[in-house]
Amino acid sequence: MILHVDGNSFYCSCERLFRPDLRNKPVIVLSNNDGIIIALTDEAKAIGLKRGDAFFKKKKFCEENGVCVFSSNYTLYADISYRLNSIYSVFAEKTEIYSIDESFLFIPDFVNFNYSQFALFLKNLIWKQLGIPVSVGIAPTKTLAKMCNKLAKNNGGVFNWYECNQTDTLKNFSVDKVWNIGRAKAEFLKRSGITNALLLSQLSLDKAKKYMTISGMKTVMELNGKECIEYIKRSESQNIVSSRSFQKAVYDLEEILEAVTCFCKNAVRKLREEKQCCSSIYVTLSTAAPFECDFNPELHYFNGSGKRLEKATSYLPEITEEACKLLTNIYRCGYGYRKASVNLLGLQKESQNLKLFEFEEEKKKELYDAIMDSFDRVNSKFGKESLSIAQGLKVREEKENWELKREFKSPDYTTDIKAFPEVL
């Protein structure tokens, strides 16, 4: 049996954890640079706010209606997500993390086992231990479990596929809400007269494969209770990207170099966590994108440059040096840049770097590993910003131009002891 567990208004629920005064009040969370609304509570929806609304257009409305606004705090959300999945792993035979707030739990098919009662127990346990409201969908396939989860939100938080009228449930479920049915597929299906999940489940497999590829065929099979979307085991990354949209246009090369240095540090941290090395680096730089409000086609510039390294490495100073050289090559004066990125490619396990008779290289690698191990230990113990590469220090005071705009960010309550709330 498969349980799909989803945190309700997850980002907003995380923000409410240390702010009990916000319960039953409208709360919204904004995207990077406080651009658009990406999460909102039912109370916020009730007064007319929608996901995707531009915040600058709704700012006055939020002030007038007492809406509590938060910038994205991904450190907090990731930590709460980790705690959720720690609870799931105690009860499930295996778990699949689908997103930061969603997981599939694979439970053995026990005889005479009340799955609905167990789901309710799990829901109450999470609320008691973490204070996060969740919904649970129960079904024999991942597609049906996702559908049941959506229905659970309006049915007490738990919905069991085997305890409902399956025909009516499929008939009343719009085809565009079915998992893995995107906008284009939904429009095609509706033009063909297939408007709900029941009609989709009755589509012949040969037609489903012909018009919606193998993915669409699997969706039809899953709607009929045949499990065919496999459990996905998380593996090492094929590439690692670190990027950020700047809150203001940045014209100065040294300031962008500092930003790229920060991106390298973030990318290498993840690289070393996976015990991998990279053999190639690719850097991009661009002005405002065409869909952004300050886009000017006459002053638009985008470019990228890459390099294959002589030796695969996870040594931060070497990666940073190469990334800064690439950035300098593509930088052009006179443009206001809004985004840069660092992409580490050609990833491989560290042990694959060792070759016979390369004694000097092996000694250098041991030295670099020792330096980076010390670097990681200090940042792990005293905070990830404790040690950095000394690139761009002379513009340190102007760093806010390329940092994310997060005027409403909450403290990192669960990962920074200095942010722990005081009781007066």
Side-chain angles (χ1 to χ4, degrees), residues 25-28 43-44 47 49 61-69:
K25 293 183 179 180
V27 177
I28 62 173
E43 293 82 3
I47 60 175
L49 294 174
F61 176 85
C62 291
E63 292 172 351
E64 293 172 347
N65 289 272
V67 179
C68 192
V69 181

Side-chain angles (χ1 to χ4, degrees), residues 227-364:
E227 186 180 1
C228 55
I229 298 180
E230 300 82 5
Y231 166 77
I232 300 175
K233 184 179 180 180
R234 289 190 176 270
S235 58
E236 294 84 6
S237 305
Q238 299 301 309
N239 69 302
I240 295 176
V241 180
S242 181
S243 66
R244 185 176 296 169
S245 296
F246 308 153
Q247 62 169 295
K248 298 178 182 178
V250 179
Y251 294 84
D252 184 63
L253 173 61
E254 293 300 321
E255 196 167 354
I256 303 175
L257 284 171
E258 185 183 6
V260 167
T261 299
C262 178
F263 301 161
C264 287
K265 180 182 174 182
N266 294 336
V268 170
R269 182 174 66 248
K270 184 175 181 181
L271 185 72
R272 289 183 56 77
E273 287 174 354
E274 297 185 359
K275 300 187 183 303
Q276 296 202 87
C277 297
C278 73
S279 57
S280 298
I281 304 173
Y282 193 81
V283 175
T284 66
L285 184 64
S286 67
T287 57
F291 54 81
E292 293 177 334
C293 59
D294 56 348
F295 174 74
N296 185 340
E298 297 180 358
L299 297 176
H300 179 56
Y301 175 77
F302 171 83
N303 204 349
S305 181
K307 181 179 180 179
R308 185 171 184 83
L309 305 175
E310 293 183 6
K311 300 283 184 180
T313 182
S314 62
Y315 188 50
L316 178 58
E318 183 178 349
I319 291 173
T320 302
E321 181 181 4
E322 294 298 339
C324 289
K325 288 180 181 178
L326 293 171
L327 175 69
T328 303
N329 290 337
I330 61 176
Y331 172 81
R332 299 290 182 270
C333 293
Y335 292 99
Y337 295 101
R338 291 294 302 274
K339 188 172 184 178
S341 72
V342 174
N343 193 352
L344 305 184
L345 302 159
L347 306 191
Q348 56 187 260
K349 284 295 184 182
E350 291 179 343
S351 59
Q352 296 178 5
N353 287 311
L354 302 179
K355 294 183 179 180
L356 193 62
F357 304 124
E358 292 187 344
F359 302 113
E360 293 300 324
E361 288 295 328
E362 186 173 347
K363 288 182 180 179
K364 186 167 70 172

Side-chain angles (χ1 to χ4, degrees), residues 9 44 48 74 117-119 134 147 159 161 202 212 240 259 261-262 264 354 361 372 386 409 423:
S9 301
Y74 296 115
Q117 186 175 346
F118 168 72
V134 299
M147 182 181 72
F159 195 92
W161 176 246
Q202 296 170 348
M212 299 190 297
I240 295 176
T261 299
C262 178
C264 287
L354 302 179
E361 288 295 328
M372 290 307 301
S386 300
K409 180 181 174 295
V423 179

Side-chain angles (χ1 to χ4, degrees), residues 166-235:
Q166 297 177 0
T167 301
D168 288 346
T169 299
L170 290 172
K171 186 176 181 180
N172 295 324
F173 199 81
S174 177
V175 70
D176 56 2
K177 295 181 179 179
V178 176
W179 189 41
N180 281 337
I181 299 296
R183 181 181 300 177
K185 288 182 181 178
E187 291 177 355
F188 167 78
L189 290 169
K190 288 181 178 180
R191 288 196 301 269
S192 303
I194 301 173
T195 58
N196 57 55
L198 178 63
L199 294 174
L200 179 59
S201 69
Q202 296 170 348
L203 185 66
S204 63
L205 295 182
D206 59 328
K207 289 184 178 179
K209 183 178 180 181
K210 179 179 180 180
Y211 297 115
M212 299 190 297
T213 71
I214 191 71
S215 174
M217 185 185 76
K218 287 183 176 181
T219 298
V220 173
M221 294 175 67
E222 291 240 328
L223 288 174
N224 285 284
K226 298 176 182 178
E227 186 180 1
C228 55
I229 298 180
E230 300 82 5
Y231 166 77
I232 300 175
K233 184 179 180 180
R234 289 190 176 270
S235 58

